[in-house]
Amino acid sequence: MLSVCILTHEGDFHFVEGLHQTLPEWCEVITVITKKQDLLEDRGLVTAPRLYNIKQEGRFKMATYLYSGVFNFAEARNKAMSLASNDWILHLDPDERIMPWQHDYLEQLIKHGNNNQTIGGFINRSYSLIAGDKDENGFMAYEVLQQVRLHRKDERYKFQNAIHESVEESITTSERFIHDSQLFIHHLGYEIPKEKLQAKVERNIDTLLSDPQQLRQERGRKILNELYFLKNKLEK
């Protein structure tokens, strides 16, 4: 029914166990660990990204994604979902959570998609709490991002953009539709120590700057401005 694809950097792997505990027992769980080939890069060699060391134990599948140069989220997600065995795929990061009370709703969405072959994916809302920030009422501030993380398995569906990657364009060009949903993802990525958040922001800026095609898009330039704003804020 559902394959959950988790993409994690080596240093963030400790988050994955907590994520596994929040997932439905009826889904396949694919964890792909990204690893930079520093030795090859030191020798001036660049090889195509690839999966290796693929293992499976019950419903859990694990692999390592080797890359050189600047990390590209879209390429890594596309490799990860090639391991999916089921008809629907949900993409998560190790610092994201699906609340257990949404498991039944997630199953209903998939059944709805199976009954309507014109549906290619569903929009979810990702909530990111921003540690230390408060809104005008004194409550913890958060930001909401609408995106498609749940979609039908289809070889034509590919993520695009090195960072803040999206699969929406390939769904719509395949003549399927994207439906809205009330699926919520809780993002913990900003609830981390300041030093780690600074390193994450720097990494994301480098990744975005390595993708000229994304920077030519209005959305890409907006993301870059937001990253620099957050970088300057963290440096104060």
Side-chain angles (χ1 to χ4, degrees), residues 154-165:
D154 190 313
E155 292 183 355
R156 296 171 294 177
Y157 296 176
K158 302 293 182 184
F159 279 90
Q160 299 175 340
N161 299 329
I163 188 174
H164 284 246
E165 63 285 2

Side-chain angles (χ1 to χ4, degrees), residues 13 60 66 90 113 135 176 216:
F13 186 72
F60 293 93
L66 290 177
L90 174 66
D135 63 17
R176 282 199 173 109
R216 285 195 289 269

